[in-house]
Amino acid sequence: MIKKISMTVLALFLLLPSWSQAGSWTEDPSGVPGQWYVGTSPSYVAPAKQPILFVHGLNSSSNTWWNENNMYETAYQNGYETAFIDLYPTKNMWDNGALLSQKIRDIYNYYGEKVVVVAHSKGGIDTQSALVHYGAYPYVSRVITLSTPHYGSQLADLAYSCWAGWLAGILGSKNDATYSLQTGYMSYFRSETDQNANVSKVPFYTFGGTKWGSFGSSLYWGGLYLSGYGSNDGAVTVNNSRLPYATELKVGGWNHYSIKEGSSTFNLFKDYLNETTINSSKALTQRASFNNEADSYFRGGEYSGKTQEKIQVEEGASSVTFDWMSNNPSSRLILKDPENKIYSSFNVSKDESDYFNGAYHHTLTIKTPPPGEWTLESDSQSLDKYLLNVSFDSMMNDVVSVSMDQGQISLKKKDRDVSIQEDMTIEFYKNGKIKESKIKPKKGLLKLPSLGEGVYNVTIDITGKKGKNTFNRTLVKTVYVNDKGRVFGQ
């Protein structure tokens, strides 16, 4: 059975007589933010075993731990008491941190002892906010995070960029939660959190994943895009899943969904669920410092009838992947290479990710593509909206990188023989709302405008040349500027 706890109500969902497995109940919890639930108590709970509080991630709810997931069952079979909570699925770490802090106190009082928090994805950020900023640290013994984007996600940056922001908005993916996960804003959160005296009160342990989903799926597409930023699980890079003062328990072959399954990771962290947890001999996590590869090119818009995009593929590219993302599952696409060879066998799948949920991917990979101008044509009888992402596996990916120093943007070339022309566009957001769109700095002046506190989402489209070889790339970067003019996310 599972117990449903609120301020005034204590209700029990009874097991159906024919069901013997833990976690069986007649209906799922309501998902109301702030409500929390107690799982079936094992017949015997060893005194050293502390209760586990499971915290869900972005656009999710408490049932993520038992619907198509054996995490709850695995914890029960291992003799642990469990609690689950529903947070706001689309609110930021400040709102969820304040809510979670209050409920952690209630759960502590219910059990009469500290709990161990196991959090998936953004749930780890919400948990740290509750402990550090809202005073819940006395009630928690330790926190285990499963692919938590402690430094944000570059997919959130993309969702607010000039090429993709409108599509994310149409799909309903732009909200307080995704806004707060932009890497620039998370750099600000880290500065507010990591220097706080409460940050060391509760030890953190982290997990990261390295596998994507199946070809054409949302996690595959996310993994392909994030590969320019390092190893990732289709939604979060390994580098961003780390905290310098946390202990990394394992980086393994999980994608962003499988990492939270009981059969995947429970046995790897169960030794950290007890009152007398072993001292880890693992070193504290080291985050890598590197410039991302420029391996993608974006275009997008809306159209009715026919439209086409032209893409330059450079000589020497090992492969190129075309991903046409649209709100229409039946987009008719024809791809032509420089030799007029036609490709039309696109893999179609629905996006189930946090940033473009509900869109449809039309994906095709070409090995050893002939260099030159490629054309992708689409035909739609209705108004269609699309985002084209072209991903390159090429030696040219590391030729150009972008950096920022107090609002001054620099493009760095690693090859002297490469010439580039850039076109920069800035989207300015304050408190999650767009204030100014499609800002174009003066030619040759790569500098943030002075618009005050908020997130500056910078998109730089590049046309490069090396000899007669032409290539296209798009770089996306976000920074947060606070009310004192300090820049975060450089």
Side-chain angles (χ1 to χ4, degrees):
M1 62 182 173
I2 188 168
K3 302 176 187 176
K4 180 179 180 182
I5 312 294
S6 66
M7 294 296 292
T8 58
V9 179
L10 176 63
L12 299 181
F13 290 103
L14 299 178
L15 291 171
L16 294 179
S18 61
W19 292 0
S20 59
Q21 66 197 55
S24 302
W25 50 86
T26 56
E27 59 181 293
D28 264 349
S30 62
V32 174
Q35 288 188 333
W36 55 278
Y37 315 88
V38 176
T40 302
S41 293
S43 56
Y44 172 73
V45 179
K49 292 184 176 181
Q50 293 185 298
I52 310 169
L53 170 60
F54 289 98
V55 180
H56 65 79
L58 178 66
N59 293 325
S60 188
S61 65
S62 58
N63 66 16
T64 192
W65 300 105
W66 60 80
N67 280 352
E68 299 182 1
N69 185 357
N70 61 356
M71 181 63 85
Y72 173 22
E73 174 73 15
T74 304
Y76 172 82
Q77 294 296 341
N78 278 268
Y80 287 90
E81 295 173 298
T82 53
F84 308 85
I85 189 166
D86 280 307
L87 299 179
Y88 299 108
T90 59
K91 288 197 174 183
N92 62 30
M93 71 286 285
W94 309 112
D95 292 329
N96 275 343
L99 177 64
L100 181 58
S101 176
Q102 176 189 349
K103 301 307 175 181
I104 285 176
R105 289 181 179 90
D106 294 342
I107 296 168
Y108 168 85
N109 290 330
Y110 176 86
Y111 284 113
E113 62 177 315
K114 292 183 178 183
V115 299
V116 178
V117 175
V118 175
H120 176 240
S121 196
K122 180 178 171 288
I125 300 168
D126 295 335
T127 299
Q128 190 173 36
S129 179
L131 303 185
V132 174
H133 298 290
Y134 298 98
Y137 64 85
Y139 315 110
V140 175
S141 59
R142 64 196 61 84
V143 178
I144 298 163
T145 64
L146 307 173
S147 191
T148 288
H150 291 293
Y151 285 81
S153 175
Q154 291 82 2
L155 286 171
D157 295 350
L158 178 62
Y160 282 80
S161 69
C162 68
W163 286 119
W166 59 272
L167 178 59
I170 289 169
L171 297 169
S173 300
K174 294 170 78 171
N175 51 55
D176 289 347
T178 53
Y179 175 80
S180 71
L181 290 177
Q182 292 177 87
T183 57
Y185 191 89
M186 281 302 300
S187 178
Y188 162 71
F189 176 75
R190 293 262 59 90
S191 73
E192 293 290 300
T193 303
D194 295 349
Q195 305 304 316
N196 191 299
N198 293 338
V199 78
S200 60
K201 300 290 179 65
V202 178
F204 269 65
Y205 301 85
T206 68
F207 284 81
T210 60
K211 294 294 185 182
W212 312 343
S214 58
F215 178 78
S217 68
S218 51
L219 284 183
Y220 179 88
W221 175 80
L224 190 63
Y225 177 68
L226 291 175
S227 63
Y229 299 89
S231 182
N232 68 86
D233 67 357
V236 178
T237 64
V238 170
N239 203 38
N240 284 7
S241 74
R242 292 169 167 157
L243 281 172
Y245 46 82
T247 300
E248 185 175 76
L249 294 183
K250 190 172 179 62
V251 172
W254 308 292
N255 65 41
H256 194 65
Y257 303 143
S258 66
I259 199 170
K260 63 183 168 67
E261 294 173 358
S263 53
S264 294
T265 50
F266 185 87
N267 285 337
L268 297 174
F269 63 71
K270 69 178 182 180
D271 289 339
Y272 298 84
L273 300 174
N274 305 329
E275 289 182 11
T276 55
T277 291
I278 61 173
N279 290 323
S280 175
S281 60
K282 297 180 182 292
L284 295 183
T285 304
Q286 297 295 315
R287 295 189 74 245
S289 177
F290 56 86
N291 292 318
N292 63 286
E293 290 186 344
D295 62 354
S296 294
Y297 180 67
F298 287 96
R299 281 295 182 270
E302 63 179 24
Y303 70 101
S304 180
K306 292 184 179 181
T307 192
Q308 66 175 219
E309 294 287 356
K310 295 185 180 295
I311 308 99
Q312 289 290 334
V313 175
E314 65 268 18
E315 187 174 357
S318 300
S319 68
V320 59
T321 298
F322 298 86
D323 188 276
W324 180 279
M325 194 189 311
S326 73
N327 61 331
N328 188 345
S330 58
S331 297
R332 290 178 288 179
L333 300 172
I334 295 177
L335 178 66
K336 295 180 181 179
D337 70 11
E339 301 165 356
N340 284 323
K341 182 179 178 180
I342 293 176
Y343 307 81
S344 58
S345 299
F346 286 79
N347 180 79
V348 181
S349 64
K350 191 172 183 179
D351 193 298
E352 298 177 349
S353 72
D354 294 323
Y355 304 105
F356 297 96
N357 191 292
Y360 291 87
H361 292 275
H362 304 74
T363 311
L364 179 64
T365 295
I366 308 295
K367 301 290 186 182
T368 58
E373 186 177 78
W374 290 62
T375 304
L376 185 56
E377 298 178 347
S378 182
D379 188 3
S380 177
Q381 295 180 350
S382 59
L383 185 64
D384 204 357
K385 303 168 179 65
Y386 72 97
L387 173 67
L388 171 63
N389 173 30
V390 185
S391 299
F392 300 87
D393 183 0
S394 169
M395 294 291 290
M396 302 299 290
N397 288 355
D398 64 352
V399 168
V400 182
S401 64
V402 61
S403 63
M404 197 169 298
D405 183 13
Q406 291 302 313
Q408 182 65 50
I409 301 165
S410 299
L411 290 176
K412 297 181 179 179
K413 298 186 298 180
K414 293 184 180 179
D415 190 330
R416 252 190 271 195
D417 297 328
V418 171
S419 62
I420 58 173
Q421 291 183 328
E422 71 281 341
D423 181 22
M424 187 167 82
T425 308
I426 299 172
E427 306 283 279
F428 173 64
Y429 294 83
K430 185 172 183 178
N431 298 325
K433 307 298 183 183
I434 191 160
K435 296 299 181 181
E436 295 198 37
S437 181
K438 300 190 184 304
I439 303 168
K440 293 285 189 180
K442 291 181 180 179
K443 189 70 174 175
L445 183 64
L446 297 181
K447 187 175 177 62
L448 293 181
S450 298
L451 301 174
E453 180 183 6
V455 171
Y456 295 73
N457 190 296
V458 181
T459 301
I460 304 176
D461 292 310
I462 293 173
T463 298
K465 278 192 174 184
K466 183 175 181 180
K468 296 181 179 180
N469 205 11
T470 302
F471 62 95
N472 294 136
R473 294 294 189 274
T474 302
L475 295 166
V476 178
K477 189 172 182 64
T478 68
V479 297
Y480 179 80
V481 178
N482 69 5
D483 56 356
K484 297 179 176 63
R486 184 180 171 191
V487 180
F488 299 88
Q490 301 176 35

